[in-house]
């Protein structure tokens, strides 16, 4: 039984990897943002570890944690109000949930860049010096809990059935990977609605406060004045701080006190 | 000429794959999934589902439906749909395999009749 589960997870991880490669690699080759960046660029293996880790270990754990705590949130609003909301047109409910989610994640993400305690987890994602679809998966599991938790909060509180917008969720999910890909194919005005790599690449600029904190669509950045869209790509991606180059090191560093990490970091480089 | 053909082909491939994925997630591809879902929710050994809104990083392509085994410890997991984080998420999960297996089991049993 356990053997079967493990094989299932391996099969699914491999299938997902192949599918995503097929979706993004041709685009990265034909419309590259950084010309000459290879598929197996430096730290490819580190991001591959994050990809495997996310599928094999963290995704179910993260999602289970959020569901576990989310259940208790669904009782915050009285059932009467929830049922009143559920009788509103689906389009209105969907828009409300997505706008609230985007607003929360915008604020939460901005805080991650501002507050050092939150940045220590989020900087794992920003430590990628080479952006492509695989680098999107470089994310500390506690960062995942924070962001997925925030983004799902309105749906939990309002009791909104997310399965009714499975298509929208799927699009936003795969687009989130796309905006990290090494692609430059300007979408024109459409980018304000659905976001684009040329915007999110600037979020990964070496400057921690570069802007573009919004989830996928940059509308929140436009509203709050943090929208940036220069005509060129940033010179370099990553963070100014020194950080580990290994998977274990990147997982452990944020959860350890600074002094302890300093004394053991030589084992994780 | 050849270059613009490659560019066109790449964009068409990209859009087709994304549209196919969205259709698959919305349940357009397999009509049998609907009947499977009913079977799943009605049966005693129910299957647990996870789905999320994703944030701007990545997403899980296949999400996890875990089969409840009344003899095992993880029988009480009951996971509702969710939105993924803004970075990434799982594209496919064991749920898809379970549904595929269910399809093949029902096809096998139909064959053997
Ligand atoms: Zn960020």
């Amino acid at each position: 039984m356990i053997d079967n589960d493990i094989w299932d997870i391996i099969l699914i991880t491999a299938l997902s990897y192949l599918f995503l490669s097929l979706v993004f690699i041709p685009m990265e080759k034909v419309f590259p943002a950084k010309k000459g960046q290879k598929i197996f660029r430096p730290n490819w293996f580190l991001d591959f570890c994050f990809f495997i880790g996310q599928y094999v270990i963290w995704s179910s754990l993260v999602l289970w944690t959020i569901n576990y705590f989310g259940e208790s949130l669904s009782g915050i609003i009285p059932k009467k109000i929830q049922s009143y909301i559920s009788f509103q047109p689906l389009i209105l409910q969907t828009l409300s949930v997505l706008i609230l989610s985007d607003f929360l994640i915008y604020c939460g993400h901005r805080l991650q860049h501002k507050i050092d305690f939150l940045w220590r987890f989020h900087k794992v994602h920003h430590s990628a010096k080479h952006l492509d679809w695989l680098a999107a998966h470089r994310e500390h599991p506690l960062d995942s809990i924070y962001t997925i938790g925030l983004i799902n909060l309105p749906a939990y509180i309002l009791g909104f059935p997310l399965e009714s917008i499975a298509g929208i969720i799927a699009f936003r999910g795969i687009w989130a990977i796309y905006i990290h890909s090494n692609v430059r194919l300007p979408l024109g005005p459409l980018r304000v609605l659905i976001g684009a790599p040329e915007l999110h690449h600037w979020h990964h600029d070496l400057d921690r406060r570069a802007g573009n904190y919004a989830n996928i669509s940059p509308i929140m950045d436009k509203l709050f004045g943090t929208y940036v869209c220069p005509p060129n790509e940033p010179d370099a991606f990553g963070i100014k701080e020194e950080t580990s180059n290994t998977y274990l090191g990147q997982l452990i560093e944020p959860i350890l006190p600074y002094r302890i990490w300093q004394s053991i970091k030589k084992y994780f480089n | 000429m050849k270059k613009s053909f490659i560019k066109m082909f790449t964009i068409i491939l990209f859009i087709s794959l994304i549209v196919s994925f969205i259709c698959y997630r919305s349940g357009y591809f397999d009509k049998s999934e609907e009947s499977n879902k009913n079977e799943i929710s009605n049966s005693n050994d129910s299957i647990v589902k996870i789905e999320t809104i994703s944030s701007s990083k990545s997403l899980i392509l296949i999400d996890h439906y875990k089969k409840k085994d009344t003899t095992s410890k993880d029988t009480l997991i009951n996971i509702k749909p969710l939105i993924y984080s803004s970075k990434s998420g799982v594209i496919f999960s064991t749920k898809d395999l379970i549904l595929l297996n269910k399809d093949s089991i029902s096809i096998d049993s139909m064959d053997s009749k």
Side-chain angles (χ1 to χ4, degrees):
Chain A
M1 182 70 190
I2 288 171
D3 272 2
N4 276 348
D5 284 353
I6 292 169
W7 279 115
D8 282 357
I9 290 170
I10 292 171
L11 184 60
I12 266 141
T13 309
L15 262 176
S16 302
Y17 185 86
L18 286 175
F19 178 78
L20 290 172
S21 301
L22 190 63
V23 174
F24 296 116
I25 291 176
M27 287 291 283
E28 289 182 337
K29 288 289 143 203
V30 177
F31 304 101
K34 296 270 180 198
K35 290 190 176 86
Q37 180 172 301
K38 295 191 170 102
I39 296 173
F40 298 106
R41 36 71 184 177
N43 281 326
W44 176 88
F45 185 68
L46 175 60
D47 289 323
F48 185 66
C49 289
F50 273 98
F51 179 87
I52 301 285
Q54 193 171 105
Y55 275 80
V56 176
I57 312 166
W58 304 115
S59 68
S60 39
L61 213 68
V62 166
L63 297 180
W64 183 83
T65 311
I66 290 164
N67 270 279
Y68 185 81
F69 290 105
E71 286 292 305
S72 53
L73 288 170
S74 57
I76 286 181
I77 283 191
K79 284 271 177 280
K80 251 188 174 175
I81 298 176
Q82 281 191 1
S83 76
Y84 172 76
I85 293 167
S86 70
F87 281 113
Q88 300 305 312
L90 184 66
I91 180 87
L92 195 68
Q93 289 185 58
T94 306
L95 278 175
S96 314
V97 164
L98 292 180
I99 291 171
L100 280 171
S101 289
D102 274 8
F103 175 69
L104 272 185
I105 198 63
Y106 172 81
C107 299
H109 189 188
R110 222 172 141 173
L111 283 178
Q112 283 184 303
H113 282 257
K114 200 175 165 110
I115 298 172
D116 284 340
F117 175 73
L118 296 174
W119 173 249
R120 56 196 288 157
F121 296 96
H122 187 53
K123 79 175 184 193
V124 170
H125 180 64
H126 278 271
S127 66
K129 288 179 182 150
H130 298 84
L131 283 188
D132 57 16
W133 72 269
L134 190 63
H137 296 81
R138 190 187 292 206
E139 184 178 23
H140 196 281
L142 291 176
D143 183 2
S144 310
I145 291 177
Y146 175 86
T147 46
I148 301 177
L150 270 182
I151 215 161
N152 286 278
L153 201 61
Y156 267 118
I157 292 176
L158 299 175
F160 179 76
L162 287 171
E163 46 292 21
S164 59
I165 54 162
I168 296 174
I169 292 179
F171 171 74
R172 286 164 60 108
I174 205 155
W175 206 252
I177 304 179
Y178 173 62
I179 61 177
H180 290 88
S181 65
N182 181 33
V183 171
R184 191 159 183 101
L185 183 64
L187 286 175
L190 202 59
R191 70 170 161 236
V192 180
L193 204 65
I194 57 175
E198 68 262 27
L199 298 178
H200 198 68
H201 287 182
W202 275 98
H203 176 66
H204 280 262
D205 184 55
L206 276 178
D207 178 6
R208 182 173 149 184
R209 293 193 169 94
N212 291 348
Y213 304 102
N215 185 23
I216 298 183
S217 153
I219 287 170
M220 292 293 157
D221 284 307
K222 285 259 186 195
L223 278 176
F224 293 102
T226 46
Y227 178 82
V228 280
C229 186
N232 55 315
E233 281 286 308
D235 291 335
F237 302 120
I239 52 176
K240 286 174 182 163
E241 301 103 300
E242 193 193 312
T243 189
S244 170
N245 270 333
T246 66
Y247 182 58
L248 264 184
Q250 292 228 349
L251 286 185
I252 290 170
E253 183 189 349
I255 55 175
L256 288 181
Y258 180 74
R259 262 201 221 154
I260 298 179
W261 171 250
Q262 287 303 316
S263 61
I264 62 164
K265 70 176 188 184
K266 57 179 178 284
Y267 304 111
F268 294 96
N269 275 322
Chain B
M1 183 69 191
K2 195 183 162 196
K3 241 185 170 178
S4 56
F5 172 77
I6 292 173
K7 283 184 177 176
M8 211 56 185
F9 176 78
T10 310
I11 292 174
I12 290 169
L13 176 73
F14 176 67
I15 295 172
S16 320
L17 287 170
I18 288 192
V19 170
S20 313
F21 176 65
I22 294 167
C23 291
Y24 166 71
R25 270 275 159 263
S26 311
Y28 282 108
F29 280 156
D30 58 341
K31 288 173 188 160
S32 59
E33 189 171 335
E34 216 32 61
S35 57
N36 279 335
K37 269 184 189 165
N38 293 336
E39 269 177 56
I40 290 161
S41 54
N42 290 339
S43 65
N44 283 334
D45 59 335
S46 58
I47 284 166
V48 184
K49 178 186 173 191
I50 303 173
E51 206 178 297
T52 55
I53 296 182
S54 53
S55 66
S56 63
K57 293 156 198 153
S58 57
L59 101 153
I60 306 289
L61 280 187
I62 320 182
D63 53 14
H64 296 249
Y65 277 62
K66 281 200 170 181
K67 201 171 183 178
K68 274 192 190 173
D69 176 356
T70 43
T71 56
S72 80
K73 274 188 176 175
D74 59 354
T75 54
L76 295 174
I77 303 171
N78 184 14
I79 291 163
K80 279 171 73 182
L82 281 173
I83 311 173
Y84 290 111
S85 93
S86 54
K87 295 147 205 146
S88 58
V90 167
I91 292 285
F92 299 116
S93 78
T94 42
K95 160 216 138 187
D96 303 78
L97 281 187
I98 289 166
L99 290 176
L100 271 179
N101 287 341
K102 268 198 169 256
D103 279 351
S104 59
I105 289 165
S106 54
I107 288 166
D108 285 352
S109 59
M110 278 165 73
D111 285 349
S112 62
K113 273 180 189 170

